[in-house]
Amino acid sequence: MIVVGGRALNPEELFEVDSDVPELTGAVLLHYFSGFMDAGSAGSTLVEHLLETHEHRVIARFDIDDLIDYRSRRPVMTYDTDRWQDYDAPELAVRLLHDAVGTPFLLLTGPEPDRRWEAVVAAVQTLIERWGVRLAVGAHGIPMGVPHTRELSVISHATRPELVTERFPLSRVQVPGNLSALLELRLGQAGHDAMGFAAYVPHYLAQSTYPAAALGLLTAVTDATDLVIGADALRAAAKLADAEVTRQVAESTEISEVVEALERQYDAYAESSSQNLLVPEGEPVPSADELGAEFERFLAELPRDP
């Protein structure tokens, strides 16, 4: 039993666990909650890749009925001829997967709850302690003023400095809260190891599916966890998407000029550690309105499925 905001909570009331869960001591828990920022669908594409390329089964399911606001994001229902045929029920669950060498790992995914964040975090911590999970890892994409023609960057943050690989260029910033971040914060306060990765996605591709960002996240996750996870499907998708972006950029002088401006900004940043990509110095970069106008046709034509 825990107390949050003066209210007694039993975390185990929020979930049901499978009766046949194997030994998981030392396993890694990956987590991704849909609904928060995920530029280029980086995090969701990574989750799709994991579920499509690995056998999996649900070992814990959350009682989501009291966690989400159905009217704010109504689940899809299928009507066929004269009757309701199907209901796409939302699900927040932990799945058990195994990597290429048989190492078990966990994936917690589903819609980000609209309410009771502290209770959900406490429930996840309960599962982590019950199963002996050694590390929790989140991943998503963030839009940045970077060109797609340069190496994709993935930054990290963690509950211990030793876990951090690539730091964010700003030392302090306030952003809207999200469940993954709160989970990492609370796990750290409880003495557990947790970390998160964010892939820099070119802001003109933020609304499209950008497989290169998911590939960058996968590489960061495997490097940090020692999991062996194949990337061939993501690599092929990234190659196709990059070729399509290159083609469309080449067909537009306006778009090419914007990308070239971002390249100059990026290269200047790379040459001087005193600069950062959020507050560029030197040559001005087109405004958000200008970028939006130039890339309106670009984003409309870029296939969401590479």
Side-chain angles (χ1 to χ4, degrees), residues 34-291:
S34 61
F36 182 60
M37 177 191 304
D38 188 26
S41 299
S44 61
T45 300
L46 173 59
V47 168
E48 291 172 5
H49 173 74
L50 294 175
L51 296 179
E52 289 175 358
T53 57
H54 296 76
E55 292 186 0
H56 54 86
R57 67 181 178 93
V58 173
I59 60 172
R61 182 176 284 105
F62 283 74
D63 181 4
I64 202 170
D65 206 42
D66 191 39
L67 299 179
I68 66 170
D69 180 356
Y70 288 95
R71 293 192 300 173
S72 68
R73 42 180 170 178
R74 298 177 184 272
V76 174
M77 296 186 67
T78 301
Y79 182 83
D80 186 7
T81 309
D82 57 0
R83 63 190 175 92
W84 292 106
Q85 185 180 56
D86 193 24
Y87 170 57
D88 188 9
E91 181 181 60
L92 180 61
V94 180
R95 289 174 168 79
L96 172 63
L97 301 84
H98 293 80
D99 72 358
V101 296
T103 302
F105 66 100
L106 304 169
L107 176 62
L108 167 60
T109 188
E112 182 183 53
D114 296 298
R115 54 179 67 92
R116 302 194 69 186
W117 282 11
E118 293 285 5
V120 173
V121 166
V124 175
Q125 181 179 328
T126 297
L127 291 173
I128 285 174
E129 294 171 351
R130 173 186 295 189
W131 293 330
V133 170
R134 66 178 175 87
L135 178 66
V137 184
H140 69 125
I142 57 176
M144 291 291 286
V146 295
H148 69 280
T149 53
R150 297 295 185 264
E151 182 179 1
L152 184 138
S153 296
V154 177
I155 63 168
S156 65
H157 39 78
T159 54
R160 290 191 294 116
E162 297 83 358
L163 296 174
V164 178
T165 55
E166 186 70 24
R167 285 176 168 78
F168 192 62
L170 293 182
S171 59
R172 185 178 180 87
V173 63
Q174 290 185 315
V175 299
N178 63 90
L179 184 59
S180 283
L182 181 61
L183 176 60
E184 183 178 320
L185 174 65
R186 294 291 186 245
L187 288 176
Q189 292 171 339
H192 295 289
D193 282 347
M195 63 188 308
F197 292 105
Y200 284 177
V201 176
H203 46 32
Y204 50 87
L205 297 176
Q207 300 302 316
S208 303
T209 298
Y210 190 52
L215 180 60
L217 290 177
L218 177 59
T219 300
V221 167
T222 53
D223 287 346
T225 63
D226 293 327
L227 291 172
V228 181
I229 300 174
D232 289 348
L234 274 182
R235 194 172 290 112
K239 184 177 181 179
L240 288 174
D242 288 346
E244 180 63 15
V245 171
T246 299
R247 180 188 69 79
Q248 295 198 35
V249 169
E251 291 178 352
S252 171
T253 301
E254 293 82 4
I255 295 176
S256 296
E257 291 175 350
V258 173
V259 173
E260 289 170 2
L262 291 173
E263 289 173 339
R264 290 191 292 271
Q265 171 193 326
Y266 183 96
D267 293 341
Y269 163 75
E271 294 173 1
S272 174
S273 60
S274 63
Q275 293 177 313
N276 68 72
L277 295 176
L278 290 178
V279 187
E281 298 177 357
E283 182 174 350
V285 177
S287 68
D289 289 340
E290 292 171 331
L291 284 171

